Amino acid sequence: AFEYRSSMVFSMISSALTTVATFFGILCLFERFNTIGGYTINQVLITYSIVTFSFAFAECFFRGFDQFDKLVRSGELDRFLIRPRSMFLQVLGFKTEWNKLGRMVFSGGIIVYALIAANIEWTIMKAVVIALMIVGTIIMFAGIFLIYSSASIFTVEGIEAVNIITNGGRDLCYYPLDIYANFFKKFFTFLIPFACINYLPLKFVLGQNTSIFYALSPLISIAFFALCFGIFQWSLTKYKSTGN
């Protein structure tokens, strides 16, 4: 990617512009409504920027799993399986999209701005929780990419239902989950635990709930990833060669 630097720079700018468009959409929304579900724009920008940064990071470094269906269709997966290396590491290095750095830089700047502008009474624990939110969100999306990879082994073609969870889940988490209907809150708390890396820790950071469970809830992403990794490993045992 870095071999053609000008192309790389323009790709990064193009990638960042898609994030800028979404950012201005949020600004326009709050221009019309001062608060949404009791949250100010600076508080919403915390969740928006963390999710945007984390999703871009996952897309950059875990892109191989998001394009796993191409390995299945092309028969390249057969070659991966006969190599004496971890399948996870091989797929991890299969595809890296450096142009996502544009999104990461832009959203990283918004994270810094939002955390300053939100007038948070900072403690060491709250700073740790913000770090856990970022890392937990990255792990969560990486786990969902693993689920996509697992499904590709059985379907050959990628299934759009998983994209609903990845892209749809990303857009859903732009805002704290308690602004949505109860069905969505329960689904994205107990089945796909986005609330644990978004809504619950934000409550702690804003001082709305001091429960240690709320503070450490992003750690649930590790258990979620472990489950997804187990499903991925199991699905590999069901793989049958494409016959190439």
Side-chain angles (χ1 to χ4, degrees):
F2 294 100
E3 200 172 326
Y4 304 98
R5 296 180 182 177
S6 297
S7 176
M8 178 65 186
V9 170
F10 282 114
S11 295
M12 290 174 60
I13 293 173
S14 175
S15 177
L17 286 177
T18 59
T19 304
V20 172
T22 308
F23 172 70
F24 277 108
I26 293 176
L27 292 183
C28 291
L29 187 63
F30 276 92
E31 183 69 22
R32 177 66 178 83
F33 305 99
N34 292 327
T35 62
I36 295 179
Y39 294 94
T40 66
I41 183 170
N42 292 323
Q43 292 171 342
V44 167
L45 285 180
I46 294 176
T47 55
Y48 163 76
S49 57
I50 288 178
V51 168
T52 303
F53 175 87
S54 302
F55 187 78
F57 187 98
E59 276 195 309
C60 180
F61 295 103
F62 291 88
R63 194 59 166 176
F65 295 98
D66 193 36
Q67 297 188 354
F68 193 83
D69 57 324
K70 294 182 179 180
L71 293 176
V72 176
R73 291 199 308 270
S74 66
E76 187 72 13
L77 184 58
D78 293 26
R79 292 184 14 176
F80 280 24
L81 286 168
I82 63 176
R83 293 171 181 167
R85 290 291 182 271
S86 164
M87 175 62 71
F88 178 82
L89 294 178
Q90 289 187 74
V91 179
L92 190 65
F94 167 66
K95 182 75 173 179
T96 304
E97 291 195 351
W98 295 107
N99 63 330
K100 304 303 180 185
L101 291 174
R103 290 187 189 180
M104 292 166 62
V105 170
F106 179 76
S107 53
I110 299 178
I111 290 176
V112 174
Y113 166 79
L115 292 177
I116 295 174
N119 295 321
I120 297 171
E121 295 182 7
W122 285 104
T123 63
I124 294 176
M125 188 61 188
K126 287 183 179 180
V128 170
V129 171
I130 290 294
L132 288 176
M133 287 176 69
I134 295 172
V135 175
T137 307
I138 293 171
I139 294 173
M140 183 76 66
F141 283 119
I144 294 174
F145 288 158
L146 280 173
I147 292 295
Y148 180 85
S149 300
S150 304
S152 298
I153 290 177
F154 298 98
T155 62
V156 181
E157 293 286 344
I159 54 176
E160 288 301 317
V162 180
N163 289 331
I164 293 174
I165 298 175
T166 52
N167 298 325
R170 176 201 61 194
D171 294 348
L172 184 90
C173 288
Y174 284 163
Y175 304 91
L177 289 184
D178 59 348
I179 73 170
Y180 300 108
N182 284 330
F183 169 78
F184 292 104
K185 286 192 292 185
K186 291 178 180 178
F187 182 87
F188 288 104
T189 298
F190 300 107
L191 293 180
I192 308 295
F194 280 127
C196 297
I197 47 91
N198 172 283
Y199 165 60
L200 299 182
L202 179 68
K203 285 284 192 182
F204 181 86
V205 171
L206 297 180
Q208 298 176 4
N209 193 301
T210 59
S211 169
I212 192 66
F213 171 76
Y214 277 50
L216 300 180
S217 61
L219 294 177
I220 291 177
S221 63
I222 299 175
F224 178 79
F225 182 85
L227 175 62
C228 295
F229 183 78
I231 294 173
F232 175 70
Q233 292 292 95
W234 169 80
S235 67
L236 289 175
T237 65
K238 304 300 179 181
Y239 173 71
K240 300 184 185 300
S241 174
T242 56
N244 291 355

